[in-house]
């Protein structure tokens, strides 16, 4: 629960001010480009900043301190945004907010990898992404009601300041350090379970004990060698980015990124479209996001029930041997091929044909039902596919793709919608969804072969 509170900050801080955009434009005399940049650049920094946070986390073997430090940065930026009187200063402070909030994805993913086994990570990552998904849905709802207060749009940033300070306090008091030293875990978990004491280690007549002792010496020597090598190195902020050169990580990151980017694009389009098309005010726009929230809840529950069970079923069919690609479970294909494109098409064409506002709300909810299953399952896949010591880095690589694609789509969406209409734009998003299904199919069929060719299949086997 403590981690879940922390995770939500990324999502709701990205959208909480959406209902107040008209008030921001009026009070700060802001051009439309500035308010668009405030949303898109925020997402862009959410993609780049995790690279830094994850590199620091994995190199220095820390989680807890980074949570507190990043939330202090988030709270200070939120305080500045609440007091600012210039639109471009607000854009800059939104970048500071994004850098602070960006730690939630990679550090949170690293913590779950520390705490849960392979067989439990599907459900665990489902809860993680539920927090990330509910944020963008709850954010506009809270922001809508805050905007009608006396403080108008500034109340949303005061709320962010208070929330960030609250997370710092909770992390300081309740959250322990969780970093999993994989070499130490190798000693404790991977060697034979024979009880080993100082007396048994020196007993020459017991061959099993000799074998276990030799194994311990080998692992300890390897661990000391790694530590000595690490002391000679400096933290490499590009290390998470370099993981994208692994084809299976790149393709799954692109598939997950397309899912997120499509969802975030509708997230940014919903507010202005509903204000213009249906004459909704701020709090009504906020309530319109609740349909997507229901979709995320149902999607996370469905994936949590299916992901780990289907993984264990696949493992049982091959005699207990684990394959990382088992995490790409059968429920993901309807999400890519039916729910995501179907929801997007319902959203776009119902607005284009002047149908009731319930139709796009339901369409958005259907899309989110598919997106939540895709991203939570692939988040667990990333942690399974790479050594546990790189869990934060690989999650940062996946988040990087999602946020960069989200920034690009959200920036280009308004002119494209104006040019071709929301209906045909939804066809474009549906096509991207079907394309991402093809990328995932390549990994499903060839992922193990790719990992063996690259020489890190043994590392993932050790993780099991």
């Amino acid at each position: 629960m403590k981690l879940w509170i922390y995770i939500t900050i990324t999502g709701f801080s990205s959208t909480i001010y959406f209902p107040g955009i008209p008030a921001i434009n009026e009070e700060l005399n802001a051009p439309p480009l500035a308010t668009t940049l405030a949303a898109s650049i925020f997402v862009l920094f959410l993609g780049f900043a995790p690279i830094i946070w994850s590199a620091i986390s994995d190199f220095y073997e820390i989680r807890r301190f980074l949570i507190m430090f990043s939330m202090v940065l988030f709270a200070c930026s939120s305080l500045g945004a609440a007091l600012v009187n210039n639109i471009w200063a607000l854009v800059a402070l939104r970048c500071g907010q994004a850098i602070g909030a960006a730690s939630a994805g990679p550090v949170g993913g690293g913590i779950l990898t520390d705490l849960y086994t392979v067989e439990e990570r599907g459900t665990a990552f489902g809860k993680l992404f539920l927090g990330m998904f509910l944020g963008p849905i709850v954010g506009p709802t809270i922001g809508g009601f805050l905007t009608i207060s006396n403080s108008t749009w500034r109340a949303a940033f005061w709320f962010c300041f208070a929330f960030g300070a609250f997370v710092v306090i909770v992390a300081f008091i309740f959250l322990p350090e969780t970093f999993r030293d994989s070499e130490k875990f190798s000693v404790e978990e991977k060697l034979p379970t024979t009880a080993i004491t100082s007396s048994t280690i020196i007993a020459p007549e017991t061959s099993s004990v000799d074998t276990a002792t030799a194994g311990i010496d080998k692992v300890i020597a390897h661990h000391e060698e790694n530590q000595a090598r690490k002391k000679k190195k400096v933290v490499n902020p590009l290390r998470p980015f370099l993981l994208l050169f692994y084809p299976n990580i790149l393709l799954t990151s692109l598939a997950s990124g397309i899912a997120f980017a499509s969802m975030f694009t509708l997230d940014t389009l919903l507010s202005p479209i509903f204000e213009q098309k249906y004459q909704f005010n701020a709090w009504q726009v906020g309530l319109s996001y609740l349909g997507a929230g229901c979709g995320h809840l149902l999607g996370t529950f469905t994936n949590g029930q299916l992901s780990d069970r289907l993984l264990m079923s696949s493992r049982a069919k091959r005699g207990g041997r684990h394959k990382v690609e088992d995490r790409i479970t059968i429920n993901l294909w309807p999400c890519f091929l039916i729910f995501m494109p179907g929801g997007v098409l319902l959203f776009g064409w119902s607005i284009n044909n002047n149908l009731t506002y319930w139709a796009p709300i339901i369409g958005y909810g259907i899309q989110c039902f598919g997106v939540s299953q895709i991203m939570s399952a692939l988040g667990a896949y990333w942690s399974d596919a790479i050594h546990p010591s790189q869990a934060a880095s690989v999650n940062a690589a996946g988040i990087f793709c999602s946020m960069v694609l989200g920034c690009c789509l959200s920036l280009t969406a308004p002119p494209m919608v104006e040019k071709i209409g929301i209906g045909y734009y939804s066809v474009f998003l549906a096509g991207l969804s079907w394309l991402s299904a093809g990328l995932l199919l390549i990994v499903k069929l060839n992922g193990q072969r790719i990992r063996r060719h690259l020489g890190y299949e043994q590392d993932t086997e050790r993780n099991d």
Side-chain angles (χ1 to χ4, degrees):
M1 178 59 72
K2 298 182 286 291
L3 178 62
W4 194 82
I5 294 172
Y6 166 56
I7 290 298
T8 61
I9 205 162
T10 302
F12 89 77
S13 62
S14 67
T15 60
I16 191 171
Y17 82 107
F18 279 5
I21 286 178
I24 293 175
N25 291 338
E26 181 179 354
E27 182 175 339
L28 302 184
N29 194 26
L33 175 63
T35 50
T36 300
L37 284 174
S40 299
I41 290 185
F42 183 94
V43 174
L44 185 63
F45 273 81
L46 283 181
F48 281 104
I51 302 294
I52 307 298
W53 293 122
S54 62
I56 295 172
S57 177
D58 287 342
F59 184 85
Y60 291 107
E61 302 183 352
I62 54 175
R63 311 280 196 223
R64 178 173 176 266
F65 173 77
L66 287 186
I67 291 177
M68 292 187 290
F69 180 81
S70 63
M71 288 300 98
V72 169
L73 175 60
F74 174 82
C76 292
S77 300
S78 300
L79 178 61
L83 301 173
V84 76
N85 289 307
N86 180 276
I87 183 59
W88 298 111
L90 178 62
V91 171
L93 288 165
R94 286 283 290 165
C95 295
Q97 273 191 309
I99 294 172
S103 68
V107 178
I111 290 175
L112 292 186
T113 305
D114 298 336
L115 299 179
Y116 293 92
T117 64
V118 172
E119 296 81 4
E120 300 170 323
R121 285 179 194 156
T123 302
F125 272 85
K127 295 177 182 178
L128 174 100
F129 280 97
L130 175 62
M132 295 182 70
F133 290 142
L134 278 185
I137 308 309
V138 175
T141 305
I142 296 174
F145 284 98
L146 291 173
T147 299
I148 63 177
S149 68
N150 292 333
S151 298
T152 64
W153 60 271
R154 298 179 187 273
F157 293 107
W158 282 112
F159 182 88
C160 289
F161 167 71
F163 196 94
F166 174 73
V167 173
V168 172
I169 294 171
V170 170
F172 180 78
I173 298 175
F174 298 108
L175 187 67
E177 179 56 62
T178 67
F179 186 90
R180 172 174 174 148
D181 189 325
S182 53
E183 298 298 339
K184 292 180 181 178
F185 270 69
S186 296
V187 176
E188 297 170 1
E189 295 180 354
K190 301 303 179 185
L191 292 175
T193 56
T194 306
I196 300 173
T197 64
S198 59
S199 61
T200 59
I201 287 178
I202 63 174
E205 66 276 11
T206 308
S207 60
S208 62
V209 173
D210 290 341
T211 302
T213 304
I216 289 178
D217 292 340
K218 182 178 179 181
V219 171
I220 290 176
H222 183 58
H223 173 64
E224 291 176 349
E225 181 183 348
N226 284 345
Q227 292 300 314
R229 190 186 306 116
K230 184 180 291 185
K231 290 179 181 179
K232 297 179 182 179
K233 293 183 177 180
V234 296
V235 60
N236 181 7
L238 296 180
R239 184 181 180 185
F241 178 77
L242 296 177
L243 291 174
L244 292 174
F245 284 90
Y246 293 138
N248 62 321
I249 301 300
L250 175 61
L251 293 178
T252 52
S253 296
L254 288 174
S256 175
I258 289 172
F260 171 82
S262 298
M263 180 194 71
F264 184 77
T265 299
L266 294 195
D267 214 16
T268 58
L269 290 175
L270 188 148
S271 178
I273 288 177
F274 274 44
E275 287 177 356
Q276 297 171 11
K277 194 80 173 180
Y278 302 112
Q279 288 75 51
F280 277 19
N281 56 31
W283 69 268
Q284 288 174 320
V285 168
L287 290 176
S288 300
Y289 287 86
L290 293 179
C294 293
H296 283 309
L297 284 172
L298 291 174
T300 302
F301 176 79
T302 301
N303 188 72
Q305 293 295 310
L306 292 177
S307 181
D308 292 333
R309 293 183 183 181
L310 291 173
L311 180 142
M312 295 302 296
S313 175
S314 298
R315 177 184 292 187
K317 290 178 181 178
R318 63 172 63 92
R321 185 172 60 86
H322 175 57
K323 181 180 177 182
V324 175
E325 282 67 37
D326 291 339
R327 182 62 69 185
I328 303 174
T329 48
I330 194 172
N331 61 300
L332 298 189
W333 305 111
C335 295
F336 275 112
L337 299 174
I338 300 174
F339 294 117
M340 271 183 53
V344 169
L345 291 171
L346 178 58
F347 179 92
W349 285 106
S350 60
I351 294 175
N352 189 79
N353 294 328
N354 299 313
L355 300 182
T356 173
Y357 56 80
W358 285 109
I361 290 175
I362 293 172
Y364 190 27
I366 293 172
Q367 185 207 27
C368 292
F369 174 77
V371 171
S372 60
Q373 295 184 66
I374 291 166
M375 295 195 67
S376 57
L378 294 184
Y381 172 81
W382 296 331
S383 293
D384 293 352
I386 297 293
H387 203 269
S389 62
Q390 301 184 62
S393 295
V394 69
N395 275 277
I399 292 171
F400 171 80
C401 279
S402 297
M403 299 306 169
V404 170
L405 288 174
C407 176
C408 293
L409 277 185
S410 61
L411 272 176
T412 57
M416 287 185 68
V417 169
E418 185 177 353
K419 185 74 174 179
I420 64 176
I422 186 63
Y424 286 106
Y425 185 74
S426 68
V427 174
F428 167 71
L429 294 180
L432 289 179
S433 178
W434 291 319
L435 172 64
S436 61
L439 300 178
L440 196 65
L441 182 62
I442 294 173
V443 178
K444 179 67 174 179
L445 298 178
N446 301 289
Q448 187 175 43
R449 188 182 312 155
I450 291 171
R451 287 183 288 108
R452 284 178 176 169
H453 178 72
L454 294 172
Y456 67 99
E457 172 71 11
Q458 291 182 349
D459 283 343
T460 58
E461 291 295 335
R462 246 190 337 178
N463 189 22
D464 303 332

